[in-house]
Amino acid sequence: MTPRAFQPAATALIVAIFVAVVLILQPVMRGARADFTEQKLYTLSDGTKNVLRSIDEPVDLTFVYTRRTGQEYPAVRAYATRIRELLDAYKAVAGPDLRIREIDPEPFSEAEDEALAAGIVAVDTDGSDPLYFGLIGGNTVDDERVIPFLAPEQEETLEYDLTRLIARLDRPEPPTVGVLSTLQGMSGDGRDSGYTFLQEIAKSFTLKEINEDFFSLPEDMDVLVMVHPPVLNDWQAWLVDQFILRQGRAIILVDPAAKTSQGSAFAGMGERQIRSDLGRFGDVWGVTLSDDALADTETALPIQAEAGEGRTTVLRHPLYLAAPPALMSHDSLITADLGRTVNFGAPGALILDEESPFETEVLVRTGPAPSWIPADRAVTELSAQDTLELYEAQDTAQPLAIRLHGALVSAFPDGAPTPDMPDDAVLAELARAEAEKSPPHISTSERDAEILIVSDADMVDDGLYVNLENSTAFADNGNFLMNALDVLSGDANLLSLRARASSRRPMTRVEAMRDAAQERFFDEQARLESSLEQSQARLQELQQVGSTDGFFEGDLKANLNDEERAELTQLREDIVETRSRLRSIERDFRREIDGLESWLKFINIFGGPIIIGAIGLFVWWRRRPGARA
């Protein structure tokens, strides 16, 4: 065989061998996979594997996807592939106990009827056919759970949502969580309204709202959640005391300066309950809430703030804390897997009694030098500059969240108090009937207590951790609290899932440059803005004086003397110059960041072609006729 004929024959033989090897290994290696991503994004978590391996009875999953419509949207098409891969991985672990199928609900088909009957959302795509993109789960007792729409932007919670759906189908009765709160966002059934945290509770547990004037607690309640609770009367406090002694599971968020609290008076600002605390439980448990709020420059959260003249800027506000994972416990199941910050709004500090007989574990703490801020100032719209003027650095980090464990004693050593009945006869009879359902008084725990206490109630507000434009979380507030609920309700397999890393990569270099630029320009910007504000106030004052006489003649200086006229002219020139300098500062602030972003775009767009072109030129240069000679 000549060399000329050998090369194509060898190529054909290699291709044939490759195809044969693929056909032989494909059935054998179907479940095998290697994940080389840094955060192991395509590897099932141990929690998922535990759930799948412990399925008692078969679970059916139906992936609903309109292929023809989905092909028109690259993000949806790619996400559908991601879901199929994940479902294949689930099947490989669960075996025959997990049955998976996919349906394509074309218009007027039986598959479309099945999708609509299950509650899958028909998304209008401005085309002739709607998009169905969801998941239906069922078990052997005809219990059904549905993910109505698989939003691509919520990819980071996909594994958690799937595993939670399977776990609920395998064990249909979820724990019951009772919620007592004075915050409007924590009121209701959580189905269509309320904070994201409340809606997450409603999706994962049986949620029961507890009214502020309650005379009894839900009999089947497994975990009690109190977020900025009202001031409890003796009877209500006794009910809480007895529940914790019997069930021992509670999450309590108290606050010395609840910024999100609203009153019932005009604009919601009157009769506000600013403070909530542990009441008589604090002395018994050895934990009390500080009188003042905390500020912390080390963990100050960047927020959008008004810069005057309709402009906004991003600055770090010490009253809003962003506690990073480094300030969290790495030993607790609640915080060990959190990868992002947990954000707080004017929190207090939890003061621990060293002689407390109970085991306490600090889960989240401040930086090393926080400062006390009076609660009546912290609850107002205190600016970052005003907060820094009040700042007096302490030399000790303060606990923001703790876990209390151990056998408790009752906060009512003399037994049950007598409930205060309403004046209305009908309501009093109803209240008496409710009170009579209460179990008898006990003095010590029937089981060891597990209580999470957090020194801030504002952390449940969506504005502190959820991007309101796309409903995705940028901090781990929700994960932190839901982890606690999973631990306290006993379903710990979901912990490692909810805290999985996002596949999105933040621009850490850009963020660092933004912080450095802000630090350089902040003082100068604040000084100029203060000067501008003073000049504008004086200008308005002079113009009001001038307009009293010559206003209708169009001469705003008509009623001013020569000195005031000169001052008016000078003020206008100063304002123009100050605005120009502020614009210059903002341009400088953005110049370095814009330059880096431009370089990143250039590398992303042209980097690959340039490298390939360079390799081609190198190969051509090496193989040119002159080079061999």
Side-chain angles (χ1 to χ4, degrees), residues 259 293-298 300-301 303 315-321 345-347 369-374 377-393 522:
K259 299 173 78 69
L294 283 172
D296 187 7
T297 53
E298 179 170 310
L301 178 69
I303 64 170
L315 54 85
R316 292 185 178 276
H317 199 311
L319 263 182
Y320 296 89
L321 281 59
S371 171
W372 299 111
I373 302 295
R377 298 292 308 277
V379 79
T380 62
E381 298 298 329
L382 199 62
S383 68
Q385 190 65 28
D386 293 339
T387 304
L388 291 175
E389 291 177 0
L390 296 172
Y391 203 93
E392 296 180 2
F522 178 79

Side-chain angles (χ1 to χ4, degrees), residues 325-488:
L327 297 178
M328 302 178 195
S329 169
H330 298 293
D331 299 324
S332 172
L333 289 174
I334 298 174
T335 53
D337 290 325
L338 298 183
R340 298 176 294 190
T341 63
V342 174
N343 298 339
F344 300 88
L350 296 171
I351 302 171
L352 308 180
D353 185 352
E354 295 181 354
E355 297 182 356
S356 171
F358 310 110
E359 178 183 340
T360 56
E361 178 184 14
V362 176
L363 301 182
V364 187
R365 64 181 186 277
T366 67
S371 171
W372 299 111
I373 302 295
D376 58 343
R377 298 292 308 277
V379 79
T380 62
E381 298 298 329
L382 199 62
S383 68
Q385 190 65 28
D386 293 339
T387 304
L388 291 175
E389 291 177 0
L390 296 172
Y391 203 93
E392 296 180 2
Q394 308 296 307
D395 56 1
T396 306
Q398 297 293 334
L400 298 172
I402 67 166
R403 183 180 181 183
L404 179 70
H405 171 80
L408 302 177
V409 296
S410 174
F412 292 83
D414 299 328
T418 302
D420 295 329
M421 293 299 170
D423 297 332
D424 184 273
V426 177
L427 294 178
E429 186 61 28
L430 293 174
R432 189 174 295 105
E434 288 294 318
E436 289 176 353
K437 298 178 183 177
S438 303
H441 177 82
I442 58 175
S443 300
T444 57
S445 292
E446 292 184 350
R447 62 186 295 191
D448 286 350
E450 293 285 352
I451 304 173
L452 172 69
I453 305 174
V454 183
S455 62
D456 182 43
D458 299 315
M459 68 172 298
V460 300
D461 187 281
D462 288 353
L464 272 180
Y465 73 100
V466 177
N467 185 330
L468 301 180
E469 295 182 355
N470 53 26
S471 300
T472 58
F474 56 82
D476 272 338
N477 293 35
N479 294 337
F480 170 68
L481 295 171
M482 291 301 290
N483 280 355
L485 273 176
D486 284 336
V487 169
L488 299 186

